[in-house]
């Protein structure tokens, strides 16, 4: 292979866009489920209920950030591999 296709060179940017989109989507999805589940109950003064609500919110933040970081790391790895390919190709010629 002498040259990488253009779509492969642009794929890290698609991963960055997907990271932003999917990370936000996962966070909002989890957050809405937690708020609709625990927000429907009013006047509930039990401490364990409040801890479960807080734990659900924490999980929503965790999963949103986790998906974002995973996809950003994948994009960065692609960029590094493309740079290595370019450097190896340049030194071989």
């Amino acid at each position: 292979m002498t040259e990488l296709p253009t779509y492969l060179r642009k794929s890290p940017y698609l991963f960055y866009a997907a990271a932003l989109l999917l990370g936000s989507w996962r966070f909002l999805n989890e957050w809405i489920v937690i708020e609709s589940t625990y927000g429907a109950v009013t006047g509930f003064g039990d401490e364990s209920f409040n801890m479960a609500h807080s734990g659900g919110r924490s999980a929503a933040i965790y999963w949103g950030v986790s998906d974002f970081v995973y996809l950003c790391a994948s994009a960065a790895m692609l960029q590094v591999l493309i740079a290595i390919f370019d450097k190896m190709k340049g030194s071989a010629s």
Side-chain angles (χ1 to χ4, degrees):
M1 177 183 279
T2 59
E3 190 64 34
L4 288 176
T6 306
Y7 69 87
L8 190 58
R9 288 192 177 277
K10 292 183 180 183
S11 63
Y13 302 108
L14 293 174
F15 271 87
Y16 287 127
L20 187 59
L21 181 70
L22 294 176
S24 300
W25 182 33
R26 177 77 182 252
F27 166 72
L28 286 174
N29 213 7
E30 298 278 339
W31 190 269
I32 289 170
V33 167
I34 293 301
E35 289 303 313
S36 62
T37 301
Y38 290 108
V41 180
T42 57
F44 202 87
D46 189 11
E47 185 61 33
S48 62
F49 175 80
N50 292 333
M51 288 175 55
H53 193 190
S54 297
R57 287 178 174 172
S58 175
I61 294 169
Y62 170 79
W63 286 114
V65 170
S66 174
D67 285 357
F68 177 77
V69 168
Y70 179 78
L71 287 171
C72 280
S74 298
M77 181 60 75
L78 276 174
Q79 281 189 311
V80 167
L81 290 174
I82 290 169
I84 290 171
F85 177 82
D86 289 344
K87 187 160 183 106
M88 296 294 284
K89 189 183 110 180
S91 64
S93 5

